[in-house]
Amino acid sequence: MSTPHRKNLHINPLKKSSVLGATLAILGIDKAMAVHHGSQGCTAFTKNILTQHFREITPMQTTALSDIATIMGDNSNLEQGLNTVIEKNKPRLIGLVSTGISETKGDDLAGGIKRFYEKYPQHQSVKIVPISTPDFQGDAQWGYTRAIQTLLEEIPLGSGPVNPRRINLLPGMGMTPGDVQELGEIVEDFGLEPTILPDLGSTLGGSTDRYYQIPQGDHGLEQISQMSCSAHTIAIGHSMENCARVLEQRCGTPWTRLETLTGVRATDRLMMELSRLSHRDVPQRYSRQRRQLLDAMLDSHFNFGGRKLGLAAEPDLLCSLVTLCRDELGMEVASAVTTSHCPVLAQMQIPGLCVGDLGDLEDQSSTADLLIANSNGRLAAQRIGVPLYPVGYPVKDLLGAPQQCFIGYRGTRQMVYDLGNILLHRDETASFTYKNFQGVLA
């Protein structure tokens, strides 16, 4: 992995703040609230991106640090903010997320929480977990993982007997709410009981029967505390390995890491793992879905052979895209840009892979036939003259993006058709343009 020539600024940034990642993780927990200990601007940026992406109200709060409070070291903003959030929103769990300003100031979040409980003893039943995510460290994926890891370290775990039918699922940031929902249904088809952390599929999967004042889903503080009673943990994505290790260290739960669930081989590994854990055969419906995926690949292989891709995403999502597009569809990666160094990407030997921004993607994708990046890559795609397939955060120019599913046989098949149709239409357009230029009747 290389770093592009040194620049004094980011051009069309790809990297998002670790605060955004931590907030996203907390949004996937029932009756949990992310409280940013920082200025209002820190929260406004994160809320703007997530609201545009989900097209839903994304609950989060701020302690609204002022310049006077920052300079004088006053903790009143933190204490008053937590008290207001608890009385107004009634959460069961609060993730107190630090920001660049509170980290630079050197605030002691753990000490602040202790003093808050002393001042407001009536709120002792609300668990408040400090999560250190300075804006100047890591990226959104790092913040997402840091939040989950900290929650698993801080939340008291139960000591009941292990249930052999129960397993823990730790989906990475690269998975959409649609992916998480699909994964949960696959696991249930094997007769297993999944506990999902975070469960974005139930909290941000879309619903019209409630006002999103606070996340409402299937997995909250009580379910997290019972993760110690699960027989196994499956972490999806390289970044989630440390979270699975926490459960192993605290309660001895064995774990398995799957780099991705997109593609034939990746889904095969998931099916075999679930069959092993459940002592059941793979349900027939997945055999049929596998055949349908192979048929989709056969139908579209003329559109993929020799085509070049430009990719930009967080490390886990980039790994998933390369695994499908290069290793299974036969496309060539012309350029790849990510947000942080990751050992698994270095092992995949992706030519030209670098840590950079969407400006680097544009500079290195002159030979590409297709770009895959978030919606902010639209301008780069237009300037190069190629289509964009939007994935990641944010996708703000496509309805239903959070509900898209890219995992399993069914989700992979949809992605194969999506990419194949984009390239097919591009070929058809070029063909009609040539015929019109030559005066040949179409």
Side-chain angles (χ1 to χ4, degrees):
M1 188 182 300
S2 64
T3 302
H5 62 280
R6 189 175 181 82
K7 297 188 296 189
N8 294 324
L9 74 165
H10 279 262
I11 301 172
N12 201 356
L14 171 68
K15 181 177 175 180
K16 274 82 65 183
S17 163
S18 55
V19 174
L20 184 147
T23 305
L24 181 65
I26 296 168
L27 282 169
I29 302 172
D30 179 57
K31 294 182 176 56
M33 179 66 78
V35 177
H36 300 167
H37 187 35
S39 67
Q40 289 179 308
C42 300
T43 300
F45 183 73
T46 298
K47 194 173 186 66
N48 180 277
I49 289 181
L50 293 180
T51 301
Q52 287 186 77
H53 178 83
F54 288 107
R55 296 178 187 272
E56 307 280 4
I57 296 170
T58 49
M60 65 191 76
Q61 298 291 343
T62 175
T63 57
L65 270 177
S66 64
D67 49 355
I68 299 298
T70 303
I71 295 170
M72 302 302 292
D74 185 10
N75 260 336
S76 59
N77 286 67
L78 175 62
E79 295 170 357
Q80 291 172 9
L82 289 173
N83 181 53
T84 302
V85 169
I86 291 173
E87 290 189 344
K88 183 178 179 182
N89 303 106
K90 298 183 172 32
R92 292 280 293 114
L93 170 68
I94 288 179
L96 184 58
V97 180
S98 69
T99 62
I101 189 170
S102 57
E103 289 278 354
T104 304
K105 181 185 167 193
D107 275 348
D108 175 15
L109 292 188
I113 294 170
K114 182 180 179 182
R115 289 187 289 276
F116 170 76
Y117 282 137
E118 291 172 351
K119 187 173 182 179
Y120 299 96
Q122 67 272 28
H123 297 324
Q124 289 279 355
S125 61
V126 179
K127 181 64 179 175
I128 304 175
V129 177
I131 301 171
S132 175
T133 52
D135 296 286
F136 46 78
Q137 185 175 357
D139 58 356
Q141 179 179 290
W142 180 84
Y144 176 97
T145 306
R146 185 69 176 263
I148 299 300
Q149 185 175 343
T150 305
L151 290 171
L152 291 174
E153 290 171 344
E154 296 290 331
I155 291 177
L157 298 177
S159 57
V162 173
N163 182 344
R165 308 305 300 176
R166 182 182 295 174
I167 67 169
N168 303 321
L169 299 177
L170 302 176
M173 181 184 164
M175 295 179 66
T176 67
D179 289 335
V180 176
Q181 187 173 343
E182 175 78 1
L183 176 61
E185 292 174 359
I186 291 174
V187 171
E188 288 173 350
D189 282 345
F190 282 84
L192 298 170
E193 303 169 13
T195 300
I196 308 173
L197 179 68
D199 186 9
L200 290 170
S202 64
T203 57
L204 288 172
S207 177
T208 58
D209 63 348
R210 57 179 180 260
Y211 175 71
Y212 285 91
Q213 190 176 32
I214 191 169
Q216 296 180 34
D218 299 333
H219 297 92
L221 182 61
E222 290 74 16
Q223 285 73 25
I224 296 173
S225 66
Q226 293 301 312
M227 292 178 84
S228 57
C229 302
S230 296
H232 200 84
T233 298
I234 297 179
I236 299 100
H238 184 273
S239 65
M240 300 304 287
E241 178 177 324
N242 287 338
C243 302
R245 288 187 184 279
V246 172
L247 285 171
E248 182 185 42
Q249 292 165 1
R250 292 192 66 186
C251 40
T253 308
W255 55 275
T256 301
R257 187 188 80 198
L258 300 175
E259 301 292 357
T260 174
L261 301 181
T262 300
V264 178
R265 284 190 284 267
T267 309
D268 285 349
R269 284 192 289 272
L270 172 66
M271 294 294 165
M272 292 302 101
E273 183 67 13
L274 294 177
S275 178
R276 182 183 70 82
L277 294 173
S278 65
H279 305 289
R280 292 187 181 183
D281 293 334
V282 177
Q284 283 299 314
R285 59 182 296 194
Y286 295 109
S287 299
R288 182 174 64 254
Q289 288 182 12
R290 190 179 191 278
R291 293 194 298 272
Q292 291 172 335
L293 170 57
L294 294 177
D295 183 59
M297 289 179 164
L298 181 63
D299 290 347
S300 56
H301 78 283
F302 285 116
N303 303 105
F304 294 127
R307 296 303 181 91
K308 295 183 178 179
L309 271 176
L311 302 170
E314 281 78 13
D316 280 358
L317 181 56
L318 190 71
C319 172
S320 180
L321 292 169
V322 171
T323 300
L324 174 67
C325 296
R326 185 190 68 179
D327 299 346
E328 296 195 353
L329 297 182
M331 301 178 79
E332 182 181 339
V333 178
S335 60
V337 181
T338 189
T339 53
S340 62
H341 293 277
C342 180
V344 71
L345 286 177
Q347 294 168 10
M348 293 181 74
Q349 299 181 347
I350 306 170
L353 174 65
C354 70
V355 175
D357 54 31
L358 292 170
D360 297 312
L361 177 70
E362 183 177 344
D363 292 341
Q364 299 170 21
S365 300
S366 58
T367 62
D369 298 290
L370 172 68
L371 295 189
I372 301 181
N374 63 41
S375 290
N376 295 331
R378 181 73 62 189
L379 288 176
Q382 289 175 352
R383 283 192 283 263
I384 298 171
V386 298
L388 172 77
Y389 187 68
V391 298
Y393 290 91
V395 175
K396 50 193 177 185
D397 54 355
L398 181 68
L399 293 173
Q403 281 70 48
Q404 284 185 307
C405 175
F406 302 127
I407 70 153
Y409 299 126
R410 188 167 55 180
T412 304
R413 181 186 62 175
Q414 186 59 51
M415 190 176 212
V416 169
Y417 279 140
D418 288 347
L419 295 174
N421 280 326
I422 290 173
L423 294 170
L424 174 63
H425 293 160
R426 191 165 185 251
D427 290 343
E428 290 291 316
T429 301
S431 174
F432 285 130
T433 302
Y434 174 78
K435 289 176 179 176
N436 287 336
F437 178 74
Q438 295 291 331
V440 179
L441 293 176

